[in-house]
Amino acid sequence: MAKVSINLATGSLQKDEIIVGIDLGTTNSLVAFIDPDKNPKVINDAGKGVLVPSVVHFSEAGDITVGNEAKEYLITDPQNTVFSVKRLLGRSYNDIENYEDFFSYKVIDDNTESLVKIKVGDKFYTPIELSALILKELKERAEHALKTPVNRAVITVPAYFNDSQRQATRDAGKLAGLDVLRIVNEPTAASLAYGIGLNPDETKTIAVYDLGGGTFDVSILQIQNGIFEVLSTNGDTFLGGDDFDRAIIDYWIEKNQLDKSELIKNRELAQQLRLKAEESKKAFSHQSLVNEKIGDIWCTLDRNTFNELILTKVQQTIDCCRNALRDAGLTITDIDEVIMVGGSTRTALVKTMVAEFFERPVHDDLNPDEVVALGAAIQADILAGNRRDILLLDVTPLSLGIETMGGLMDVIIPRNSKVPTKAGRQYTTSIDGQANMKISVYQGERDLVKENRKLAEFDLKGIPGMPAGFPKVDINFLLNADGILKIQAMELRSGVKQEVEVTPTYGITDDQVEQMLMDSITHAQDDVSQRMLIEARTEGEQMVYTVERFLQKNGAYLEIAEISTTQQKVNTLKEVLSSGEKDLIHKTIDDLNEYTRPFAERLMDVAISTAMKGKSIE
Ligand code: AMP
């Protein structure tokens, strides 16, 4: 039974607001929810079909269509029809440069490092706006089918998506009017759909094999105490069922001795052949021979030949599985479960080869197109608090911190922290009257920020003039469950504050994470001695600054000889600072400190006696 609550203002009954699970796919998207019997169900609004092709068409008149209707325009109006927008989410032009030919619409960018835009007609759209149109369609279908407003959702993304891509997905949700409660990894969702990972006591290592129309990825996940950790991912973003279709078409071209370049020009025939190839591929699930004609072209194919045609492609996916295992530092016997996701895993040869490789039967009972959305709905149900026994957590793979003086990394959230998590620290200024504080955020394990990965940089501006060391700047890191980092900086005395969310321009692969961790181990000793040297140097620089300021302001209270000796000692310290000898720096600092301490005391006495006379100095 769904929970029912009463609206105290109106006295009316209100159903608990539903949270849907959305699989925002490259080719198709769909939405699922938990029905009153507690079962996850995909939404098929008014019989329009469960899968909504992730395609958007813009007409000359300004009408926008999404889904099956828009898909028709892929042939008739390709320039104004956007597909595969997921490939562009959170991407810069640099990221996609080599694949530009793939898109029949115009992908542009004025600055190769910023995020791409898509030009349709004379308008520009961001991938976020385009994804939002797809999400809006899904939201509307869900609202129509469930007869209730849908405002909250869980959206899935591939495990290899970086922060920028995750943030873009979240923004698309927001733009579509959805409160995105969580971004969930697709393999995590698939695993939940099979009930794997729902028991907090279970420890399992699973492989999720996802072969769609145009993309392939495999993820190795470790599930422990309800935490899903992605150990590795591998794949090919341009390998999928479409390649099977192309292999069939090439075979027919050869058998019928057709001229390929002629065929490409005859768009309609090419499209008919493509559809026939896909239909034949699907037919092999229940028949062993296809024998049909398009015009005077014979489209003949038997299952064995089909298997031969696609063998190298399937073999490629198996190679990726092998690499993923290697990257996770595991062998086949470590894998407890294998889950099949994506329409192309219906192909018999794919199932056989994957099962053979992992030496175990694969999970393929659920519809492979729906499994991710179903899992997202389960995750949504968990977040709605309907399954209190389950807690799903993720951990952050690399430490997060900020740059402090001397280019040192000051870790705020250490690696392997469970997310969501919040941590903060207080900082201050190093120069008198400093109005701005540059806050540079880094990710990584090394002591020097230059060896880590920069995520963001911003200035906390407008700190009111105060002596160095007076302002209190609280810096808080909030890492939400999607791995998105919010950084807040606030000067407590003045209330000046600044907040940023991290959307780094470039992503980071698992290999890079691993490399960063390895480097931190190999360089651990060097890093520690470097850190100590830099800390000594920073302390020395601060000392030079403070003493010189003291001389400037309070020279009148010192003897000439005292001033010159102090200046001499400051000069010695300045020289020693670049010596690279930590102990010598410390010794020189101590010496200067020792010599100048009485001056400060003398000044205090003067200040006190002056204050007692009702005057103040400075
Ligand atoms: P997805 O991107 O996950 O929606 O997968 C779509 C791909 O699955 C397309 O290449 C379809 O041709 C393919 N597909 C759908 N049904 C079948 C089937 N019965 N046998 C083989 N491939 C299929």
Side-chain angles (χ1 to χ4, degrees):
M1 266 300 291
K3 274 190 252 160
V4 172
S5 51
I6 298 170
N7 181 328
L8 292 176
T10 61
S12 63
L13 287 182
Q14 63 186 36
K15 265 203 290 183
D16 245 14
E17 211 202 314
I18 208 142
I19 310 177
V20 293
I22 294 178
D23 172 3
L24 181 64
T26 310
T27 327
N28 294 306
S29 298
L30 63 157
V31 49
F33 75 112
I34 301 289
D35 74 6
D37 297 325
K38 290 260 150 245
N39 296 316
K41 273 224 165 69
V42 289
I43 290 172
N44 184 353
D45 175 35
K48 286 188 203 160
V50 169
L51 300 183
V52 178
S54 307
V55 183
V56 183
H57 175 257
F58 297 86
S59 78
E60 296 260 320
D63 296 325
I64 298 173
T65 45
V66 176
N68 273 316
E69 235 178 289
K71 200 174 165 183
E72 313 266 307
Y73 291 105
L74 277 175
I75 310 293
T76 56
D77 191 16
Q79 289 93 338
N80 297 316
T81 315
V82 182
F83 62 97
S84 272
V85 69
K86 185 172 175 179
R87 294 182 187 277
L88 301 173
L89 258 186
R91 295 305 200 133
S92 71
Y93 194 74
N94 272 347
D95 295 328
I96 59 136
E97 206 171 18
N98 298 332
Y99 300 108
E100 209 193 352
D101 290 347
F102 173 85
F103 305 99
S104 52
Y105 46 88
K106 191 107 191 76
V107 182
I108 56 125
D109 192 16
D110 32 25
N111 166 352
T112 47
E113 288 194 16
S114 71
L115 301 180
V116 295
K117 288 194 191 70
I118 290 138
K119 188 169 184 214
V120 185
D122 52 6
K123 287 215 177 85
F124 295 92
Y125 299 92
T126 63
I128 293 175
E129 289 167 324
L130 295 164
S131 302
L133 292 171
I134 299 167
L135 289 170
K136 217 160 142 210
E137 174 74 21
L138 294 170
K139 171 175 148 74
E140 280 165 13
R141 287 195 186 193
E143 288 176 333
H144 191 247
L146 303 174
K147 300 186 177 54
T148 175
V150 171
N151 298 315
R152 299 193 291 168
V154 164
I155 306 179
T156 58
V157 295
Y160 58 79
F161 256 29
N162 63 30
D163 293 348
S164 168
Q165 292 166 300
R166 281 164 201 265
Q167 183 62 43
T169 307
R170 185 175 269 278
D171 289 347
K174 225 182 274 172
L175 203 58
L178 290 167
D179 183 5
V180 182
L181 298 188
R182 195 175 284 193
I183 299 287
V184 179
N185 286 333
E186 287 162 10
T188 300
S191 150
L192 289 176
Y194 276 102
I196 301 166
L198 284 177
N199 177 356
D201 298 328
E202 79 187 346
T203 298
K204 277 204 163 137
T205 309
I206 64 166
V208 180
Y209 177 103
D210 184 347
L211 187 63
T215 59
F216 167 66
D217 58 89
V218 54
S219 312
I220 310 287
L221 304 187
Q222 169 130 54
I223 307 168
Q224 213 166 13
N225 308 323
I227 300 173
F228 284 71
E229 189 183 359
V230 180
L231 299 183
S232 66
T233 62
N234 209 293
D236 185 334
T237 47
F238 286 90
L239 171 64
D242 299 349
D243 293 296
F244 298 173
D245 304 345
R246 272 191 287 273
I248 297 175
I249 298 168
D250 286 345
Y251 174 76
W252 286 338
I253 288 176
E254 193 195 313
K255 284 284 153 193
N256 288 276
Q257 297 182 335
L258 303 175
D259 182 343
K260 198 168 178 179
S261 52
E262 281 302 309
L263 184 71
I264 291 168
K265 280 185 219 149
N266 186 346
R267 268 211 201 145
E268 199 176 325
L269 180 61
Q271 173 66 356
Q272 276 178 326
L273 272 176
R274 207 193 64 70
L275 290 175
K276 183 57 72 190
E278 184 175 10
E279 195 185 304
S280 310
K281 170 182 79 174
K282 292 181 182 174
F284 288 129
S285 323
H286 55 267
Q287 68 187 61
S288 53
L289 183 72
V290 171
N291 194 11
E292 286 177 50
K293 251 184 138 182
I294 296 176
D296 49 9
I297 301 172
W298 275 107
C299 299
T300 309
L301 185 64
D302 63 70
R303 195 193 276 148
N304 287 341
T305 313
F306 170 63
N307 286 347
E308 281 167 28
L309 292 177
I310 63 170
L311 183 66
T312 49
K313 292 285 169 201
V314 185
Q315 191 56 50
Q316 260 171 280
T317 69
I318 300 294
D319 294 341
C320 293
C321 294
R322 189 173 293 113
N323 293 339
L325 269 182
R326 186 204 56 208
D327 293 348
L330 299 176
T331 61
I332 282 160
T333 50
D334 295 316
I335 301 295
D336 300 309
E337 316 272 355
V338 180
I339 296 174
M340 301 298 261
V341 179
S344 299
T345 59
R346 290 196 183 88
T347 303
L349 184 72
V350 171
K351 280 191 208 183
T352 320
M353 285 179 64
V354 174
E356 269 173 18
F357 174 74
F358 284 105
E359 297 171 10
R360 63 175 49 256
V362 297
H363 286 281
D364 62 352
D365 293 342
L366 295 173
N367 181 329
D369 289 319
E370 298 176 356
V371 52
V372 168
L374 293 172
I378 295 175
Q379 169 79 67
D381 201 38
I382 296 169
L383 292 176
N386 297 335
R387 301 178 183 221
R388 293 196 186 280
D389 45 331
I390 303 159
L391 187 67
L392 285 182
L393 294 168
D394 271 318
V395 293
T396 175
L398 291 170
S399 302
L400 298 161
I402 66 163
E403 175 176 359
T404 52
M405 286 187 72
L408 287 176
M409 171 87 173
D410 199 23
V411 171
I412 294 185
I413 296 179
R415 77 180 227 90
N416 272 341
S417 298
K418 285 177 188 164
V419 290
T421 184
K422 196 178 170 199
R425 198 160 296 160
Q426 206 170 76
Y427 298 88
T428 188
T429 51
S430 53
I431 299 171
D432 287 346
Q434 187 177 331
N436 295 345
M437 190 180 221
K438 192 186 276 311
I439 294 157
S440 306
V441 183
Y442 285 83
Q443 178 182 44
E445 305 313 308
R446 302 290 298 276
D447 283 87
L448 296 186
V449 290
K450 70 176 165 54
E451 311 283 0
N452 288 331
R453 182 166 175 260
K454 191 179 213 165
L455 293 181
E457 187 170 274
F458 65 100
D459 281 323
L460 178 64
K461 289 192 183 135
I463 302 174
M466 281 183 254
F470 263 64
K472 286 184 177 171
V473 179
D474 256 2
I475 297 189
N476 282 305
F477 276 29
L478 195 96
L479 185 62
N480 75 14
D482 315 326
I484 292 165
L485 179 66
K486 206 180 257 179
I487 303 129
Q488 291 169 327
M490 180 168 175
E491 202 288 300
L492 298 182
R493 294 181 194 269
S494 58
V496 180
K497 68 175 170 190
Q498 177 85 19
E499 188 176 302
V500 291
E501 275 189 20
V502 176
T503 46
T505 320
Y506 291 107
I508 185 163
T509 62
D510 285 350
D511 286 350
Q512 287 165 311
V513 171
E514 202 174 308
Q515 189 60 47
M516 285 168 86
L517 293 177
M518 282 307 291
D519 286 350
S520 74
I521 296 166
T522 1
H523 297 281
Q525 232 170 3
D526 288 352
D527 274 10
V528 169
S529 44
Q530 284 226 54
R531 173 181 278 277
M532 290 198 316
L533 174 63
I534 291 171
E535 277 171 354
R537 204 183 284 155
T538 306
E539 194 188 332
E541 280 164 0
Q542 280 298 115
M543 183 82 192
V544 168
Y545 177 79
T546 315
V547 174
E548 284 189 335
R549 295 281 293 165
F550 184 89
L551 288 183
Q552 256 175 29
K553 282 183 169 182
N554 307 306
Y557 300 96
L558 303 184
E559 307 283 330
I560 305 273
E562 285 174 338
I563 294 179
S564 74
T565 312
T566 308
Q567 195 59 61
Q568 234 171 28
K569 287 187 186 291
V570 167
N571 289 344
T572 315
L573 179 56
K574 278 185 185 167
E575 274 164 35
V576 164
L577 282 182
S578 51
S579 70
E581 287 181 52
K582 162 182 73 77
D583 293 339
L584 182 61
I585 297 174
H586 276 306
K587 200 170 151 287
T588 320
I589 292 174
D590 289 346
D591 181 39
L592 179 60
N593 221 346
E594 205 52 34
Y595 184 72
T596 53
R597 188 175 306 126
F599 305 159
E601 282 162 11
R602 194 183 308 162
L603 198 73
M604 274 298 250
D605 294 343
V606 175
I608 291 166
S609 62
T610 320
M612 288 174 109
K613 283 182 210 144
K615 288 184 200 154
S616 70
I617 49 162
E618 282 232 69

